[in-house]
Amino acid sequence: MAPTSDLKKQSQLKEVAGIPLQSTTVDNWSQIQNFEAKPDDLLICTYPKAGTTWIQEIVDMIEQDADVEKCQRAIIQHRHPFIEWARPPQPSDGIELANAMPAPRILRTHLPTQLLPPSFWENNCKFLYVARNAKDCMVSYYHFQRMNQVLPDPGTWEEYFETFIDGKVGWGSWFDHVKGWWQKKDRHQVLFLFYEDIKKDPKHEIQKVAQFMGKNLDETVLDKIVQETSFEKMKENPMTNRSTVPKSILDQSISPFMRKGTVGDWKNHFTLAQNEKFDEIYREKMKGVTINFCMEL
Ligand code: PPS
């Protein structure tokens, strides 16, 4: 493994078409752009911290008919290759893992629509997008950047609040990401889900995902998936809680990867002034977008 100073160097973001991405991703950009999707690929798409790990575990449980042992076959990061993940010399390079995977493949990305390898659109693939309200995403991302040694230091909460709004974080602006995928949903095979809906009624949302994947699950299987993908279960599960990642990369003593898993934690972080400012910016940036986020349960 790379020594800490090398990891710190990797934490610098570079840009592709104005979108900040991890430098190792940018250094491998042509390989990522030329990735060849297949028509039966299912791509899990999210903005960072929107519930990627959660939906991945749900999708895998559906795929494995709720067979818990099968879902324990590998850590979640390796079950669904992360297509833009490039961190040589680690063997978890996303493209290599994806190319080695038998079809039908389930892959994942945080890329905004304009940076997705074009072959996904050309092959009319299925996309499963999960959106989470911006304020909770911001809070979750802040704590993640505090504990993640290969992402830039977030600075103070006040500083991070501005950085996030300006889209100067990995994978760019939350606003543009969500708008981009929302606009794609009517012209492509996109199932657009909300973190807050899964929290509110997991059984209903899991049923929708199963249908989208062409799987018909009976009640007992569905109930088992709800149970096994609860925050409490996934927090204890070494295959989902990132406990296998070395402390030099993810320092969970600073903040656990499975942190709170709630809707509305933003209220414990945003000042009144920040909230007002954010709401005003939100109205401006999301003008004309017919999307409604649940901010508390
Ligand atoms: S990453 O690093 O972008 O892949 O992170 P991601 O998995 O997208 O998001 C992590 C946040 O999702 C929460 N999480 C869950 N919430 C509810 N139920 C379940 N089962 C679950 N699994 C993960 C996780 O706790 C992070 O949110 P916060 O608010 O920080 O707790």
Side-chain angles (χ1 to χ4, degrees):
M1 187 192 315
T4 313
S5 56
D6 285 357
L7 294 175
K8 274 285 162 212
K9 255 185 255 156
Q10 286 179 14
S11 75
Q12 285 160 13
L13 301 177
K14 289 186 185 172
E15 288 190 2
V16 172
I19 306 291
L21 296 169
Q22 284 183 296
S23 58
T24 45
T25 295
V26 179
D27 294 344
N28 285 273
W29 192 245
S30 64
Q31 193 198 4
I32 293 165
Q33 275 300 284
N34 291 326
F35 175 68
E36 285 186 31
K38 298 177 182 170
D40 54 1
D41 284 342
L42 167 66
L43 185 62
I44 295 174
C45 317
T46 49
Y47 187 75
K49 313 320 289 178
T52 325
T53 313
W54 193 10
I55 196 68
Q56 282 184 263
E57 188 68 359
I58 288 172
V59 163
D60 199 32
M61 282 291 279
I62 293 173
E63 187 70 1
Q64 310 301 339
D65 294 309
D67 186 326
V68 176
E69 259 177 47
K70 283 189 184 161
C71 291
Q72 292 279 325
R73 70 192 178 284
I75 54 171
I76 196 86
Q77 303 94 295
H78 290 179
R79 279 183 260 161
H80 305 133
F82 187 8
I83 56 165
E84 68 270 30
W85 190 253
R87 180 146 293 144
Q90 284 189 16
S92 55
D93 179 86
I95 299 283
E96 272 173 36
L97 276 178
N99 286 339
M101 196 178 197
R105 305 180 296 188
I106 299 173
L107 311 169
R108 74 129 159 162
T109 188
H110 286 321
L111 289 173
T113 56
Q114 72 276 24
L115 294 188
L116 202 66
S119 61
F120 281 102
W121 308 118
E122 290 156 11
N123 281 288
N124 193 28
C125 296
K126 279 189 182 175
F127 304 101
L128 180 46
Y129 188 84
V130 181
R132 185 181 194 183
N133 82 70
K135 294 178 188 176
D136 282 331
C137 260
M138 188 195 297
V139 168
S140 182
Y141 212 164
Y142 168 67
H143 289 294
F144 188 58
Q145 285 193 223
R146 290 199 309 122
M147 59 86 87
N148 188 324
Q149 304 308 306
V150 292
L151 283 180
D153 186 299
T156 64
W157 165 249
E158 289 71 26
E159 286 163 349
Y160 193 73
F161 179 82
E162 304 295 337
T163 311
F164 183 93
I165 286 177
D166 292 343
K168 300 269 185 254
V169 293
W171 291 276
S173 153
W174 177 96
F175 304 96
D176 294 343
H177 202 279
V178 170
K179 274 192 283 192
W181 280 101
W182 182 250
Q183 281 154 7
K184 285 284 180 195
K185 80 176 170 29
D186 301 323
R187 281 171 285 135
H188 293 273
Q189 300 196 76
V190 181
L191 178 65
F192 199 103
L193 300 177
F194 293 90
Y195 176 101
E196 295 77 14
D197 286 345
I198 312 176
K199 198 79 201 168
K200 230 183 308 181
D201 191 350
K203 194 167 173 178
H204 184 255
E205 298 306 299
I206 292 170
Q207 176 84 279
K208 276 207 273 195
V209 177
Q211 224 166 25
F212 187 65
M213 292 170 65
K215 295 274 280 192
N216 204 355
L217 304 180
D218 67 36
E219 284 290 305
T220 36
V221 172
L222 263 175
D223 288 334
K224 191 167 172 200
I225 297 177
V226 172
Q227 226 180 40
E228 295 296 330
T229 58
S230 71
F231 178 78
E232 292 69 26
K233 278 271 186 168
M234 284 181 57
K235 191 176 169 72
E236 295 310 316
N237 180 352
M239 295 296 130
T240 54
N241 65 13
R242 301 293 203 275
S243 57
T244 58
V245 179
K247 195 176 176 183
S248 57
I249 296 177
L250 295 184
D251 188 347
Q252 303 219 31
S253 68
I254 297 176
S255 178
F257 179 82
M258 301 289 296
R259 198 183 57 90
K260 283 198 177 172
T262 56
V263 178
D265 190 38
W266 62 270
K267 287 193 261 173
N268 300 315
H269 292 74
F270 279 55
T271 63
L272 204 61
Q274 283 176 333
N275 196 35
E276 279 172 8
K277 178 171 174 182
F278 188 90
D279 286 346
E280 200 182 309
I281 291 168
Y282 185 94
R283 274 192 294 275
E284 204 180 287
K285 289 192 186 278
M286 300 298 278
K287 201 186 258 171
V289 185
T290 56
I291 186 167
N292 276 317
F293 278 94
C294 163
M295 304 307 293
E296 56 191 302
L297 286 184

Coordinates of all heavy atoms in Angstrom, one line a residue, residues 48 100 118 157 179 205 279:
P48 N -22.2 11.3 -4.5 CA -21.6 10.8 -3.3 C -22.5 11.0 -2.1 O -23.1 12.1 -1.9 CB -20.3 11.5 -3.2 CG -20.0 11.9 -4.6 CD -21.3 12.2 -5.3
A100 N -13.8 -8.0 -16.3 CA -13.6 -9.4 -15.9 C -15.0 -10.0 -15.4 O -15.0 -11.2 -15.2 CB -12.6 -9.5 -14.8
P118 N -19.9 7.2 -23.2 CA -21.1 7.2 -24.1 C -21.7 5.9 -24.4 O -22.9 5.8 -24.7 CB -20.4 7.8 -25.4 CG -19.1 8.4 -25.0 CD -18.7 7.8 -23.7
W157 N -16.7 23.4 9.2 CA -18.1 23.2 8.6 C -18.5 24.5 7.8 O -19.1 24.3 6.7 CB -19.1 22.9 9.7 CG -20.5 23.1 9.3 CD1 -21.4 24.1 9.7 CD2 -21.2 22.3 8.4 NE1 -22.6 23.9 9.1 CE2 -22.5 22.8 8.3 CE3 -20.9 21.2 7.6 CZ2 -23.5 22.3 7.4 CZ3 -21.9 20.6 6.8 CH2 -23.2 21.2 6.7
K179 N -30.1 17.4 -11.3 CA -30.8 17.9 -12.5 C -30.5 17.1 -13.7 O -31.4 16.8 -14.5 CB -30.4 19.4 -12.7 CG -31.2 20.4 -11.9 CD -31.0 21.8 -12.4 CE -29.7 22.4 -12.0 NZ -29.6 23.8 -12.2
E205 N -40.3 0.5 -2.0 CA -39.2 0.9 -2.9 C -38.4 -0.3 -3.3 O -38.0 -0.4 -4.5 CB -38.3 1.9 -2.2 CG -39.0 3.2 -1.8 CD -39.7 3.9 -3.0 OE1 -39.1 4.3 -3.9 OE2 -41.0 4.0 -2.9
D279 N -31.5 27.8 1.2 CA -32.8 27.7 0.6 C -32.9 28.7 -0.6 O -33.5 28.4 -1.6 CB -33.9 28.0 1.6 CG -34.1 26.8 2.6 OD1 -33.6 25.7 2.3 OD2 -34.8 27.0 3.6

